[in-house]
Amino acid sequence: QVQLVESGGGLVQPGGSLRLSCVRSGTIFSIYAMGWYRQAPGKQRELVAVITNYENTQYADSVKGRFTISRDNAKNTVYLQMNSLKNEDTAVYYCNTRELYGSYWGQGTQVTVSA
């Protein structure tokens, strides 16, 4: 059984930084990609960043140059370093993996950017 547990969310002022972590547990067969999505109130869930098993990365245009995704395969962990945070980055952030036997989601962690 695959479980994803996010941490690192919180309240931060505009211009500040946060680092999200997502630890995956469970048997590993083949992981194609790990990523972060977010959902703001009243909006659809959207892709923030993804990193493949070949270390290729993709970012939403709104976060390019500010957010960095990385992974530590030895720790089964994916990170999202978020810098220069803006009010519009406020959302619940979800970890996601795409694997051989399906796609999995974490429970989400709240990020609030406010003065």
Side-chain angles (χ1 to χ4, degrees):
Q1 183 179 358
V2 175
Q3 283 191 320
L4 303 175
V5 179
E6 302 104 331
S7 62
L11 174 64
V12 63
Q13 292 185 343
S17 298
L18 283 175
R19 187 194 195 204
L20 305 183
S21 300
C22 172
V23 180
R24 182 198 181 281
S25 61
T27 303
I28 295 175
F29 293 98
S30 185
I31 300 175
Y32 302 131
M34 302 182 77
W36 291 93
Y37 290 71
R38 67 186 181 187
Q39 188 167 19
K43 295 187 177 181
Q44 290 188 333
R45 191 173 298 189
E46 63 175 359
L47 173 70
V48 176
V50 64
I51 184 167
T52 72
N53 55 345
Y54 295 106
E55 301 293 323
N56 295 320
T57 58
Q58 178 184 348
Y59 295 92
D61 287 343
S62 60
V63 306
K64 283 180 181 177
R66 299 189 297 122
F67 291 10
T68 303
I69 189 170
S70 61
R71 60 192 288 178
D72 185 334
N73 292 330
K75 296 182 179 180
N76 295 322
T77 301
V78 62
Y79 304 97
L80 185 68
Q81 178 66 43
M82 305 186 294
N83 299 328
S84 302
L85 283 161
K86 304 176 181 180
N87 290 336
E88 50 264 43
D89 294 318
T90 295
V92 178
Y93 284 69
Y94 296 91
C95 178
N96 169 263
T97 62
R98 296 203 299 268
E99 307 185 16
L100 177 64
Y101 293 114
S103 180
Y104 303 93
W105 294 91
Q107 81 288 349
T109 185
Q110 177 70 45
V111 171
T112 302
V113 185
S114 175

